[in-house]
């Protein structure tokens, strides 16, 4: 589908459209010059003539070229474009920063500086790999999310604009009119109350649908998170994940569960105000790795005889991320040299001692996780933590609180792991685990992990770490997904045995 420079192969794209191959949904978009409309490859309309079609790597590029979204296939609702994964490393990191709202409060030059390159070079890379500028991508992110709120909720139009990250109503109206050819009010009037799927009040929160590419091993992922849920902060009950959150100083909670009618998750957000819902959505998409392309990853990893049976048993397994990178980093340090259950116990004690109490209902959500500034000065002896690990947590907290260590996607994987390893007491296992989950680094791989070594030992004892590292070379650039299959595969076998007994 893609050449090395991410240029689309028109012939292959056209064939995917003729067959309406769902494997390519979201991988590219098609603009039709005779109508000025752009579509997904799975659009149900009769395909136009090949000569009238133009192909784009992302929705933002199609819109930048002057095309408007199709009303039938709604291309702006397609899951995150997997074409972005595996492009130039700088572009991938920049897209993660944009998804986190980097261009909401700063200009392209400031973001380029965070990435360690010049603004001109960043713009050139975006043009080369995506056919759209960073500003185009950021604008598309906001306006597409706004459209989903217009259609799916009863939020006031003013609240929709603020929830989607727009700084003014005028800017919001212009962006919606330019993209969809109609005002926000006109778009809402096209949808009857029956078609707006969820009502919104300040009592029940706002419900948002989060699309993903199937398959998705939700049950297995939820069991993984359940074992590691921080008491008081996170709860897994049935098929639902819940947690406390803070957004721009506002305290609240989220509940996430599968949509039974579509390949999507549903999320209820409860906050005193809804001016940053788009940031909550992006965090949750990273938490559940919803922008992954499971078919592409599976195709690569199934070449390994060691991984093939595990992948076939759990297709669509994701690498869970984190709501807050610092929280995950502390949780990883607590897990050094103890069992998963033991680390969970320590995390619960930490939250009860230093977390912020919050009224969030009666289902076990009682606290916010303590901030870096709190842990930088805290005495952790009361929770029963060894002195060396307590010192590592304080060193991490001090570095984050002072801004010396920024846990985001600006650095490449090796740089991020190197910066983490510079923290006293932070070894390669912890650094790779943090990079894998908190920084969304798809090639992070904690090769010294005992669970991975046991899973690859085939019952003959743990495989030596150097042998694991050599074996995993063939799994690049998706070693984090390989690690998840090895961890979860072993846990699922144990789970099946417990259910059978």
């Amino acid at each position: 589908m893609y050449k090395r420079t991410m240029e689309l192969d028109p012939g292959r794209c056209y064939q995917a459209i003729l067959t309406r191959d769902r494997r390519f949904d979201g991988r590219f978009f098609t603009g039709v010059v005779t109508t000025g409309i752009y579509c997904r490859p799975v659009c149900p309309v009769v395909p136009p003539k090949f000569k009238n079609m133009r192909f784009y790597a992302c929705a933002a590029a199609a819109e930048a070229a002057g095309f408007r979204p199709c009303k039938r296939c709604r291309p702006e609702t397609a899951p995150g474009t997997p074409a972005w994964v595996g492009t130039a490393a700088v572009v991938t990191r920049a897209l993660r920063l944009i998804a986190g709202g980097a261009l909401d409060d700063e200009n392209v030059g400031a973001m380029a500086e965070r990435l360690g390159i010049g603004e001109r070079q960043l713009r050139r890379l975006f043009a080369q790999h995506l056919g759209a500028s960073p500003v185009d991508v950021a604008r598309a992110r906001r306006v597409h999310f706004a459209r989903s709120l217009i259609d799916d909720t009863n939020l006031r139009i003013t609240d929709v604009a603020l929830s989607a990250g727009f700084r003014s109503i005028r800017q919001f109206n212009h962006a919606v009119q330019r993209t969809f050819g109609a005002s926000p009010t006109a778009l809402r009037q096209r949808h009857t109350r029956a078609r707006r799927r969820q009502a919104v009040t300040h009592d029940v929160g706002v419900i948002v649908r989060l699309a993903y590419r199937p398959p998705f091993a939700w049950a297995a992922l939820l069991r993984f998170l359940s074992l590691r849920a921080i008491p008081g902060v996170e709860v897994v009950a049935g098929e639902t994940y819940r947690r406390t959150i803070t957004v721009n100083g506002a305290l609240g909670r989220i509940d996430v569960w599968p949509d039974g009618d579509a390949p999507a998750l549903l999320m209820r957000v409860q906050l005193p105000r809804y001016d940053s819902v788009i940031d909550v959505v992006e965090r949750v998409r990273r938490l559940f790795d919803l922008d992954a392309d499971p078919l592409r990853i599976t195709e690569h990893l199934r070449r390994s005889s060691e991984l093939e049976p595990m992948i076939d048993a759990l297709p669509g397994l994701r690498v869970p991320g984190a709501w807050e990178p610092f929280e995950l980093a502390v949780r990883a340090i607590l897990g050094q040299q103890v069992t998963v259950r033991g680390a969970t116990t320590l995390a619960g004690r930490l939250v009860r001692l230093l977390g912020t109490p919050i009224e969030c209902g009666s289902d076990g959500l009682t606290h916010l996780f303590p901030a870096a500034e709190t842990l930088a000065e805290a005495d952790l002896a009361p929770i029963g933590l060894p002195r060396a690990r307590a010192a590592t947590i304080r060193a991490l907290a001090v570095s984050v609180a002072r801004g010396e260590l920024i846990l985001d996607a600006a650095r490449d994987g090796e740089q991020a792991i190197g910066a983490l390893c510079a923290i006293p007491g932070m070894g390669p296992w912890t650094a790779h685990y943090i990079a894998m989950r908190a920084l969304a680094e798809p090639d992070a791989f904690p090769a010294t992990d005992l669970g991975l070594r046991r899973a690859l030992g085939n019952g003959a004892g743990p495989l030596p770490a150097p042998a694991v590292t050599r074996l995993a070379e063939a799994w690049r650039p998706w070693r984090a997904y390989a690690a998840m299959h090895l961890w979860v595969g072993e846990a699922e076998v144990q789970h099946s045995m417990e259910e059978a007994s």
Side-chain angles (χ1 to χ4, degrees), residues 263-495:
L265 299 179
L266 294 175
M267 175 180 65
R268 178 186 290 112
V269 184
Q270 291 178 272
L271 287 165
R273 60 182 186 272
Y274 295 99
D275 55 355
S276 299
V277 174
I278 189 171
D279 297 326
V280 177
V281 167
E282 294 296 351
R283 286 195 187 200
V284 173
R285 292 196 69 85
R286 291 195 299 273
L287 174 58
F288 295 108
D289 197 16
L290 298 186
D291 291 327
D293 183 357
L295 296 180
R296 180 184 181 191
I297 296 167
T298 294
E299 180 183 7
H300 180 79
L301 295 181
R302 284 189 80 255
R303 300 169 188 167
S304 165
S305 59
E306 293 83 5
L307 298 177
E308 182 180 10
M310 300 176 188
I311 291 173
D312 290 343
L314 286 173
L317 184 64
R318 311 300 170 102
V319 176
W323 168 263
E324 166 55 51
F326 174 72
E327 175 187 301
L328 189 282
V330 172
R331 177 64 175 75
I333 296 170
L334 292 173
Q336 291 176 343
Q337 300 178 352
V338 298
T339 64
V340 172
R341 188 182 300 275
T344 299
T345 299
L346 290 171
R349 293 175 184 170
L350 179 69
V351 166
R352 287 192 298 272
L353 179 66
L354 298 167
T356 303
I358 181 173
E359 291 293 334
C360 245
S362 58
D363 51 7
L365 298 179
T366 60
H367 288 77
L368 294 171
F369 194 83
E373 292 78 7
T374 300
L375 292 184
E377 303 293 335
D379 176 13
L380 301 181
I383 72 171
L385 195 63
R387 188 175 300 173
R389 259 183 288 160
T392 300
I393 289 177
R394 282 194 297 271
L396 170 71
V398 168
S399 185
V400 171
R402 292 177 177 173
E404 298 167 354
L405 176 65
I406 299 176
L407 296 173
D408 64 13
R411 295 175 173 174
D412 67 33
E414 291 302 319
Q415 287 179 330
I417 289 167
L420 288 166
C421 285
I423 301 291
M426 186 90 74
W429 179 91
T430 311
H432 274 268
Y433 185 80
I434 294 170
M436 174 181 170
R437 292 195 55 196
L439 305 182
E441 175 50 54
D443 203 38
F445 188 76
T448 59
D449 180 80
L450 184 58
L452 298 182
R453 293 169 56 206
R454 282 175 176 166
L456 291 169
N458 293 321
L463 195 67
V468 173
T469 300
R470 289 193 298 271
L471 184 63
E473 281 298 307
W475 304 337
R476 290 182 182 273
W478 310 112
R479 293 188 303 172
Y481 291 86
M484 277 299 297
H485 275 287
L486 292 167
W487 280 333
V488 175
E490 187 175 28
E492 288 297 297
V493 169
Q494 182 63 34
H495 177 74

Side-chain angles (χ1 to χ4, degrees), residues 49-60:
K49 295 180 179 179
F50 177 74
K51 68 179 182 180
N52 294 329
M53 304 174 80
R54 304 293 183 268
F55 304 101
Y56 300 93
C58 64

